[in-house]
Amino acid sequence: MISERGKRKLIYNDQLFYWFVKLDEDYGIPYLHIISDDRRLCLVYRVNQISDEFIHPKISVLQSNRLKKGLYCFFSPIADEFISTHNVRAILNWHEQQDENLEPIEVRVVANPFEDIDFKDGCVTHIETDFSRDSLREDMLQVIYPKGYLLDVGWYGASEGFIVSIIYNQDWENPIRKTGKSIFNLNEAVVKAIEIIGKLMINE
């Protein structure tokens, strides 16, 4: 049994689950936690992934009799700006529908998240290769693209992490796309930003 304090209950497939939302201590990001009463299932899902154009929704499996411990892509995206029992049921449905042989995503901790990125039509005007704590700064990456687009990445401290911005016509006050990321998903976010810029240039 687990403590009920601060947790909500849900019956799913005749089993009792507890769920709650808790802020990450380092970044202040809300995470949904779903735990079965017998502790045999524990899932963690970052809230409001649907609004993040830079990263495909993911879910962490911390304990499961069905899946290996690790990080998985979450299909199909759900409206998760606000968490309700509907969201919790959708996540539990996802878990039940997964093949037991499904492998978690390999999370690689790389020394340089910009390494091996194809910047397509962009002209790299600045790029940092040292990601040690003392070398992080607001100017980590800048890539200029045709038709007035610019990709910028900067470090803004532990509370905000790396900020990936897409700028149009040098309007730095109003980025057309912007997201904060940790070093673990920075590579994916930059690759997605390049894809977004490519689509924006085509649609002009």
Side-chain angles (χ1 to χ4, degrees):
M1 300 288 289
I2 62 177
S3 171
E4 299 182 20
R5 181 176 295 180
K7 301 177 179 66
R8 299 186 184 184
K9 297 180 181 179
L10 171 70
I11 301 296
Y12 177 86
N13 286 349
D14 297 323
Q15 185 176 4
L16 175 62
F17 289 86
Y18 295 92
W19 65 273
F20 60 95
V21 176
K22 182 179 180 181
L23 291 178
D24 174 82
E25 294 181 358
D26 294 324
Y27 293 95
I29 298 172
Y31 284 87
L32 168 65
H33 298 252
I34 304 172
I35 308 171
S36 62
D37 189 46
D38 59 9
R39 292 182 177 271
R40 292 184 178 181
L41 179 64
C42 181
L43 306 173
V44 178
Y45 177 91
R46 179 167 63 83
V47 176
N48 200 21
Q49 294 191 62
I50 192 68
S51 67
D52 192 339
E53 295 181 85
F54 294 81
I55 297 292
H56 186 89
K58 295 181 180 64
I59 186 168
S60 294
V61 175
L62 303 185
Q63 184 70 37
S64 171
N65 288 336
R66 187 178 190 85
L67 299 174
K68 296 178 182 178
K69 181 179 179 180
L71 187 68
Y72 295 82
C73 284
F74 184 84
F75 296 94
S76 298
I78 57 176
D80 59 1
E81 298 93 336
F82 301 97
I83 297 299
S84 66
T85 54
H86 175 76
N87 302 107
V88 177
R89 287 186 183 277
I91 291 172
L92 290 172
N93 283 337
W94 170 88
H95 176 262
E96 287 300 307
Q97 294 167 4
Q98 301 311 301
D99 188 319
E100 295 182 4
N101 296 317
L102 183 66
E103 292 291 330
I105 301 169
E106 181 182 357
V107 179
R108 295 189 307 117
V109 180
V110 296
N112 177 10
F114 300 148
E115 190 175 3
D116 298 328
I117 290 181
D118 182 358
F119 293 101
K120 307 294 185 182
D121 297 327
C123 175
V124 178
T125 58
H126 180 78
I127 186 169
E128 290 290 337
T129 58
D130 185 355
F131 276 76
S132 60
R133 176 66 69 171
D134 292 339
S135 299
L136 300 180
R137 63 199 70 199
E138 291 187 10
D139 298 315
M140 297 296 295
L141 174 71
Q142 190 170 106
V143 188
I144 298 175
Y145 286 86
K147 299 185 178 181
Y149 291 98
L150 184 146
L151 171 61
D152 182 81
V153 179
W155 168 257
Y156 289 85
S159 61
E160 295 186 75
F162 293 95
I163 302 297
V164 181
S165 303
I166 299 176
I167 309 297
Y168 181 64
N169 282 344
Q170 294 296 317
D171 187 359
W172 290 87
E173 297 298 320
N174 301 289
I176 58 175
R177 300 285 195 283
K178 180 179 179 181
T179 187
K181 290 288 171 280
S182 72
I183 193 169
F184 301 106
N185 49 28
L186 181 58
N187 178 277
E188 182 181 355
V190 171
V191 170
K192 183 63 177 181
I194 294 168
E195 179 184 322
I196 293 172
I197 291 173
K199 291 179 179 178
L200 290 170
M201 291 192 299
I202 291 174
N203 293 333
E204 274 209 356

